[in-house]
Amino acid sequence: MPAPSPRLVGDAAVRAEIAGAVWSLQPAERGLDANIIDLPAGDEIARHDGPALDVLILVLDGGGVLETAGEPIDLTPGALAWLPPHSERRFIAGASGLRYFSVHARKPGLTIGAAPALDE
């Protein structure tokens, strides 16, 4: 079976009328997860600990603040931020909203396993 060929999978300039994840990488056979996140002005992604993998974000448009366990990070168009595994984060969109591209290794899928043994 031949290897898959490179191809266009989206257009980061296209704006959606929704907030949140407005684009996600879809090919089933892939090693990456990638998304475009669009937050309206003043919206946020609540403080949480990230997944057990590195995440890289690129600010496409707008701006805001990335709150961390350390110093807050100003997010402006073109800013590249690395989010280490399990790092604390909170995204807050500025007055013009915040639109960013994120990429990371693909998260493992959910699997069905045996139920844990019950203590009697």
Side-chain angles (χ1 to χ4, degrees):
M1 178 185 243
S5 295
R7 62 185 181 269
L8 289 175
V9 293
D11 184 345
V14 172
R15 300 303 296 247
E17 296 299 318
I18 60 173
V22 298
W23 175 87
S24 295
L25 188 60
Q26 294 301 316
E29 298 299 320
R30 66 185 195 274
L32 292 175
D33 277 332
N35 302 286
I36 294 177
I37 307 297
D38 202 340
L39 299 176
D43 203 357
E44 72 174 63
I45 297 175
R47 184 177 311 279
H48 65 284
D49 291 336
L53 25 94
D54 295 289
V55 177
L56 185 68
I57 68 162
L58 169 63
V59 178
L60 300 172
D61 195 26
V65 175
L66 170 58
E67 291 184 351
T68 71
E71 294 293 317
I73 298 170
D74 289 327
L75 298 175
T76 58
L80 278 166
W82 169 59
L83 310 174
H86 303 291
S87 59
E88 183 179 299
R89 61 204 64 178
R90 175 182 178 213
F91 291 88
I92 305 167
S96 58
L98 174 63
R99 182 176 171 87
Y100 67 88
F101 174 76
S102 71
V103 64
H104 53 79
R106 190 168 185 188
K107 295 176 186 172
L110 297 176
T111 58
I112 299 174
L118 299 175
D119 293 331
E120 294 185 25

